[in-house]
Structures are given as structure tokens and as C-alpha cells.
Amino acid sequence: MALRSFFRTKLGFSGLLPRLSPCSSHGRVCVSQQRNSSTAPKIKVDFDQNTGVAVMHMQSPPVNSLSLDFLTELAISVEKLEIDKGCRGLIITSNQPKVFSAGLDILEMYGKSPERCGEFWKAVQEMWLKVYCSNMVTIAAINGSSPAGGCLLAMTCDYRIMADNPRFTIGLNETQLGIVAPFWFKDTMINTVGHRNTELALQLGLLYSPSEALKVGLVDQLVPEDQVLTTAVKTMTKWLAIPEHARQITKSMMRKPTMDKLKSNREADIQNFVSFITKDSIQKSLHMYMEMLKRKKA
């Protein structure tokens, strides 16, 4: 389970622009990312112009793996909403049953050239920067399990609401796989749950149940599974009632040291990732995992 949880991500950042189309609801706009007519959009954004709130639905079956295409759509969609001054709040949730996002996609890391791995990791950075640095109010409506990269995505948001289902888990479980979480994963978690909780979580590769996540502060609120999104919408109203300028400056003040640390070390971080993921021993482990998946499917 731990191995499957971690190796489900890929992300890249290209010059694709989302397509805007009207929805049936008055004052609402759908933003969907489409590379071509044969590729189903992995991200659907419903933007209500009356409230200034967008809901981003992750819809990449079966588990919203953070693939190159997926995270390209996510990053570009966030950028587009950020540019639209009418959009003040973003809720991120999943259309896939029982999962928010299962994390990094193994296919982006196995058998790829160093150049491709570097492109992938740069895109992972880009996703984090886009959401973590956003001026919008961001709320994660976590309606399923959210390990590894899925947990990182949730932690980039200002507020996290999780379904109160003991079968769901959330956390950065990389060490269970012999992998070290990058410094900016670590710093994001420290900012969320504090130094000691992060030290324990990262060393042990912990996956928390919803109640455990609430106890340490990894999530802010638990609600019944069928109320996650509606609760996020109500919570967003409270956040948007705060004077925007003051809230944005405060957010920047709290997060700027963490953001600046990655921005000034992006190339070194990419090289560290490429050097690690292309090692023969790591590639062998990835191969073994893929073979295990094939046997399970058979």
C-alpha cells in the first residue's frame, strides 16, 4: 500500500491555455484543459462569477495520479484563475471515489531520460509554487485518501477539510520506500504541523487516519463524506469576509521564507532529484514495483 501510495505522480508545465466555456448555471464558467480532442480533460474548474469562487475537480481515473499532463492542467488552470481578478477563492477536490490524489506517478520516473526526469520535477515544483504562493483563498476538500504528493497538494492550501472516514489516510510516507522527502516538502509540513510532528511523520513515513490528522493539525476539520464540498463552500464565505489586502499580505509574510528557499534552489533541487531517481538501484525498485502491479492485474 505504501509503495503504491507514493509512486503515483507526474507533472509538467507547458504553454497550454485552458478553454473557457459557459455552463448551465448563470454566472458560472467551466475551465477545462484539453490538449487535443482525443484526450479527456483531467481537471475541470467550475467558476462562479457571482461569488468569485472556483471549484477545481480532479478527474483523472483511477486515482488522480499527479502525471505530467495532469499537473500541467492543474498549474495552468490555477494560473488562469489567478489572472482573473474576479476569482478570489479556489476549492480543490476530487471527482474520483475514495481518493483525493494518490501522489506521484511511477511512469514519470521509470525508464525516463535524465532530461525528462528533470522536466517532470520542475513541473512538480511549479505546481507547488502556483498553489502555495497563490493570492486566492485556497481550500482542500479532501474526500478520500491523500498520501505523498497528494498530501503535499493538500498542504499547499490555506485550509483543509477531510472526510471523516477511518479508511482514508493522509501523510508523507516516502521513507517507507527508502526515499527522502525534499526539503520543501519538509518545510511545508513544518509550517503545517510543527517541527516535532514533522520529524516523527517524515522519519516514520506515517500515514494518518482523519482523526489522527486532525489531532496533529494536518487537517483543520472533519465532516461526513457527503458534506466535504458543501462545508468547503460555507467555509470559503468566512475567509472571503476578511479584508483581502490584509489577508494576502499576512499569507505572504507567513509563507515567503519557504517560497524563497525553493525559488533560489530550484536547479539544485532538480539535479538532486534526477541524480537520485536515475540510480540503478532506484530504477530496479521501480521495475519490481511495476512487475508486482502487473501480477496483481493478472
Side-chain angles (χ1 to χ4, degrees), residues 21-41:
S21 61
C23 289
S24 56
S25 301
H26 178 70
R28 198 178 291 269
V29 173
C30 288
V31 184
S32 63
Q33 198 71 29
Q34 290 186 308
R35 294 169 67 95
N36 55 60
S37 59
S38 65
T39 304

Side-chain angles (χ1 to χ4, degrees), residues 137-141 154 156-161 220-221 235 239 255:
V137 175
T138 53
I139 295 178
T156 61
C157 294
D158 301 319
Y159 195 81
R160 285 162 291 283
I161 300 167
D220 301 295
Q221 190 175 351
T235 302
W239 279 75
R255 297 189 175 194

